Amino acid sequence: MIAKAQDEDSLRSFMEYQEFTSMYYRSIYYIQEFVKKPDRDIRIFAIGDDAPVGIYRVNPKNWRTNTALGAKAEPLAIDAELRELALKVKDKIGGFFLGIDVFEDKEKGYVIDEVNGVPEFKNTVRVTGFNVSKYLITKLMEWYKK
């Protein structure tokens, strides 16, 4: 269950509801601070030693900005700060091909939401025209030749 608790009472209500479900993992909770972001988030791809492409995922109707949940993908021009952030995340976590989800917070700046080890990229290709598959293969070949 994914829910947005407005206060401690509603959080406790969600947790109590969860205890009465039949799900095996009902007593495991992942609680995340709500980030007051614009009606969008950022998906940036780290591939090998580069962060070549990304998108905004915009959803003015819902706080969740996954394209699978109705958000619209829009092109993103990756600035130096985002590129550096994505590569730092890749270096810390490891991996060769990552989808890094970033929130924009007015006070904190960029905030990492999650890192996907098997990122989906069809919407990125569709809105940017960037051939992620070809770039990934090129980077893998470069890595293999080292």
Side-chain angles (χ1 to χ4, degrees), residues 1-3 11 15 18 25-33:
M1 174 174 58
I2 296 175
L11 175 61
M15 293 171 74
Q18 193 73 5
Y25 298 107
R26 67 182 173 268
S27 63
I28 298 173
Y29 301 98
Y30 296 100
I31 299 174
Q32 176 179 329
E33 176 186 356

Side-chain angles (χ1 to χ4, degrees), residues 14 23 28 30 41 53 60 78 94 104 108 112-113 122 135:
F14 290 134
M23 294 173 30
I28 298 173
Y30 296 100
D41 73 358
V53 68
I78 299 171
E104 301 163 281
K108 298 177 185 176
I112 303 300
D113 175 48
K122 72 177 179 203
Y135 194 82

Side-chain angles (χ1 to χ4, degrees), residues 72-86:
K72 180 183 170 193
E74 295 180 358
L76 164 72
I78 299 171
D79 62 21
E81 183 181 4
L82 265 178
R83 178 171 280 109
E84 181 180 347
L85 178 63

Side-chain angles (χ1 to χ4, degrees), residues 49-99:
D49 59 357
D50 196 10
V53 68
I55 58 172
Y56 288 111
R57 299 182 304 180
V58 182
N59 192 349
K61 297 178 182 177
N62 193 312
W63 59 274
R64 296 177 291 181
T65 48
N66 308 55
T67 55
L69 297 174
K72 180 183 170 193
E74 295 180 358
L76 164 72
I78 299 171
D79 62 21
E81 183 181 4
L82 265 178
R83 178 171 280 109
E84 181 180 347
L85 178 63
L87 294 176
K88 281 182 180 179
V89 168
K90 185 194 76 65
D91 289 344
K92 290 287 183 190
I93 290 179
F96 193 85
F97 177 48
L98 301 174

Side-chain angles (χ1 to χ4, degrees), residues 3 7-8 13 29 46 53 76 88 90 92 99-100 113 117 140 142-143 146:
D7 53 34
E8 187 175 339
S13 293
Y29 301 98
V53 68
L76 164 72
K88 281 182 180 179
K90 185 194 76 65
K92 290 287 183 190
I100 302 165
D113 175 48
L140 283 169
E142 288 174 9
W143 172 79
K146 285 183 182 179

Side-chain angles (χ1 to χ4, degrees), residues 47 96 132-143:
I47 305 172
F96 193 85
V132 174
S133 299
K134 181 178 178 180
Y135 194 82
L136 175 59
I137 290 170
T138 300
K139 286 296 190 179
L140 283 169
M141 290 172 59
E142 288 174 9
W143 172 79

